[in-house]
Every structure is written in C-alpha cells, then in structure tokens.
Amino acid sequence: MTSEVHRKTVFIVDDDPAVRDSISLLFSLHGHATAVFACAEDFLRAIQPGWRGVVLADIRMPGLSGLEMQEALASHPARLPMIMITAHADIATARQAFKFQAVDFLEKPFDHDQLLASVDAAMSGLPETRSAIGTRPVATTLSPRERQVMALVVDGLDNGSIGERLGISPRTVEVHKSRVMTKLGARNLAELVRIAQAAR
C-alpha cells in the first residue's frame, strides 16, 4: 500500500477474517475505500503520515490490543480518528478508549446503519455521532440525583454499591440510570461514558 490512500479509506484492524470481510464489503458498497489488517502490529508497520480516513479497531486481538495500538497512534502524524469495536465491552475499557480520544466505541454485533453513521461522522470531523450533547447539556438535562448516579456508573460501580453510597435501593438506582440513558440518548454504557467525558 502506498501513501496515496483515498481520503475516505476505512482501515479495518481485526483478527477475525469474517469480521474484516463483512465490514470491508459494507463500506465498499457505500463508496468507501477499505484496507484490512489482521493485527495491530501489521497496521502500525504499514501506516504512513499521508493516510487519511478512519480506523476501526477491535479491542481484543492477539499481540497488541486495540487500546495499545490506539495509545501508540496518539502521537502519529497521520492523526487518524479511531472507532473501537468489541464483543466484550465494559466501562473501564470504554473509559480508557475515550481517554485516548476514540471517537466512538461500538459493541459487536453492531447495527450496520449505526456503524456507517459513526464512520461518516468521524470522517466529517464531528465530535458527536449519535447523541446531541451540544443541544442537551448534561448539567441542565439531568436532575442532581441523576447526575450523581451517572457519575458513579461511569466510575464503574454496580447498582448495589451506588445504592449504598447514595442511601437508596438498587431498584431506585436502576430507575435513575434508565432515565439518564433515555435523557442523554445513550444506547449503552459505553455511550454513557463518552457523553459523561465530553460533558467534563
């Protein structure tokens, strides 16, 4: 591969050949050039400063993980936005991904429209993909109790621990958490982490 990579190239880094092939086909059908890599090491050896596009990287891969690759790319001159994908999502992993400026964090199996929208937003340089944080600020959207619950959820506490901390039942915690997700348009906890970090 040369440095003359199409501006809208989707770089797919995943150790599962079926995943690589299906994602590559999806984006090819929607007019994007694609390039596939079986591991983080292959991508890091190949990347050149002139490359443009978006990186889709699996979190768990043999050798370097997607998060380790993301950290290695943080200072690379190509400055490619990254979307992390995983079948094993948890809050700590999402928090680390967003710490290193991931533009999105998607759980497998993901909806194709969701994936396309996320990549299109990243290529357009938009800070958001699916939640209207700019028009619905966390501070004005959530009640004080909901903000407390959100902060503790993002810190990785379970419902029982949050309930003990706030003096409410786990069921009440779940109700508050559900309201937070609905108000902020978060489809899952990874999105909630992204929204919370953007609000900070």
Side-chain angles (χ1 to χ4, degrees):
M1 184 178 293
T2 70
S3 61
E4 296 299 314
V5 175
H6 192 281
R7 176 168 290 276
K8 291 189 175 181
T9 298
V10 180
F11 301 96
I12 303 155
V13 187
D14 197 301
D15 61 303
D16 186 333
V19 172
R20 293 197 304 271
D21 290 346
S22 65
I23 295 177
S24 179
L25 176 61
L26 172 67
F27 282 100
S28 295
L29 291 173
H30 285 79
H32 293 292
T34 64
V36 297
F37 300 86
C39 63
E41 289 86 348
D42 286 351
F43 181 77
L44 290 172
R45 281 192 291 267
I47 187 172
Q48 298 180 29
W51 285 12
R52 297 293 181 268
V54 176
V55 181
L56 287 176
D58 193 15
I59 294 284
R60 294 190 180 182
M61 294 183 285
L64 288 178
S65 70
L67 291 174
E68 290 169 327
M69 183 183 82
Q70 183 188 21
E71 186 175 0
L73 288 173
S75 59
H76 194 280
R79 306 296 294 175
L80 294 170
M82 292 189 66
I83 296 170
M84 309 306 291
I85 56 178
T86 183
H88 309 281
D90 59 66
I91 290 179
T93 302
R95 197 164 53 225
Q96 186 174 353
F98 291 124
K99 175 184 176 182
F100 287 108
Q101 305 305 310
V103 296
D104 213 342
F105 186 101
L106 303 178
E107 296 182 56
K108 299 177 183 177
F110 31 69
D111 178 81
H112 284 178
D113 290 338
Q114 177 185 8
L115 181 60
L116 287 165
S118 183
V119 167
D120 286 343
M123 285 186 172
S124 299
L126 300 176
E128 315 300 340
T129 53
R130 292 183 301 281
S131 57
I133 300 171
T135 59
R136 291 187 294 171
V138 171
T140 59
T141 300
L142 304 181
S143 70
R145 177 65 86 191
E146 288 166 349
R147 291 199 297 273
Q148 288 177 321
V149 169
M150 182 183 74
L152 295 173
V153 168
V154 169
D155 284 343
L157 276 66
D158 60 28
N159 290 350
S161 299
I162 294 172
E164 289 180 8
R165 184 79 63 89
L166 299 180
I168 57 179
S169 71
R171 172 60 185 159
T172 301
V173 172
E174 187 60 39
V175 170
H176 284 307
K177 185 161 64 175
S178 177
R179 288 175 180 168
V180 168
M181 304 280 282
T182 300
K183 286 183 176 182
L184 298 181
R187 296 186 181 186
N188 51 50
L189 291 178
E191 285 192 12
L192 186 62
V193 171
R194 176 170 60 83
I195 293 168
Q197 293 202 336
R200 291 173 180 172

